[in-house]
Amino acid sequence: MTPRKRTGRCATLLVTAALVTGALTGCQPLAEAASATCEDTGSRVDELKAYDVLESRPPGTIVPKGFTDLEAGCWEDSGEAWLYADRTYVFPGEKAEVIQYYRAAAEREGWKLSRSTRQALEKDPSASLCFTRGGTDDATTLDVYFLTKEILDAEETETGPEFASGFGYRVSVGATADGSPNSCSD
């Protein structure tokens, strides 16, 4: 399997947040906000890999060939470093079942559903999920999202026959490399 190429969604949000925060407060120039690197982030990546929600999955979920390992690391995009740990699964049932399962599993672990996710779920019960930790860990988010052909193509990922038996989804814990606050796109 070819290693996935990370999309710049989170990095784009982080750089945008840094620009807005710096502009509003006048406290942090963009160069400082976007200067985090992947150097010396191994222990923080290990912390992300330890979240139980990454291994938790609804009954009947399949671990597809080529996705058997927990993927974790640090990537830099647009000058911002982002830590991640994620698992990819295929579920043969309804998307709403996955959403219901992870809402309960995440909340048991202390994750808080974002306001924007709550609003999205009112319109579409199978919308992607985004949670935050808050408190002393305001740099970490949990995303549960469904894989589209566009996402898999961007990652240059080849899917096996398991994806034909249901729909693919990813459970991803992410954090800023420098420990700065992070949130869902509320």
Side-chain angles (χ1 to χ4, degrees):
M1 179 179 112
T2 306
R4 285 189 329 210
K5 292 183 180 178
R6 303 297 298 181
T7 58
R9 177 181 76 94
C10 293
T12 302
L13 290 172
L14 291 171
V15 170
T16 302
L19 277 171
V20 170
T21 301
L24 292 175
T25 65
C27 295
Q28 185 178 32
L30 178 60
E32 288 178 28
S35 63
T37 68
C38 288
E39 192 173 320
D40 299 324
T41 58
S43 63
R44 181 69 172 121
V45 170
D46 289 342
E47 289 174 25
L48 297 181
K49 290 169 27 178
Y51 283 106
D52 291 338
V53 70
L54 291 167
E55 300 300 327
S56 181
R57 57 187 185 254
T61 299
I62 301 164
V63 178
K65 184 178 179 181
F67 294 94
T68 55
D69 296 327
L70 172 72
E71 293 197 30
C74 179
W75 57 273
E76 296 178 54
D77 187 10
S78 304
E80 188 68 34
W82 182 254
L83 309 177
Y84 69 94
D86 44 59
R87 298 284 286 171
T88 300
Y89 299 109
V90 173
F91 186 70
E94 300 293 322
K95 288 181 179 179
E97 293 176 72
V98 170
I99 296 301
Q100 182 179 13
Y101 178 86
Y102 282 102
R103 279 187 79 169
E107 288 171 3
R108 277 192 305 273
E109 279 191 34
W111 294 95
K112 294 167 184 51
L113 190 64
S114 75
R115 183 180 63 224
S116 62
T117 299
R118 263 193 301 290
Q119 292 169 347
L121 289 170
E122 289 174 9
K123 296 176 187 169
D124 178 6
S126 63
S128 297
L129 300 173
C130 185
F131 299 86
T132 59
R133 296 291 291 180
T136 59
D137 188 6
D138 63 355
T140 306
T141 60
L142 166 65
D143 290 296
V144 178
Y145 60 96
F146 301 103
L147 298 171
T148 63
K149 181 177 178 354
E150 291 79 19
I151 291 171
L152 295 169
D153 286 349
E155 294 174 352
E156 298 178 0
T157 301
E158 293 183 31
T159 59
E162 301 89 353
F163 281 83
S165 67
F167 57 87
Y169 71 94
R170 186 162 294 142
V171 181
S172 181
V173 178
T176 55
D178 65 1
S180 60
N182 182 36
S183 67
C184 301
S185 57
D186 280 344

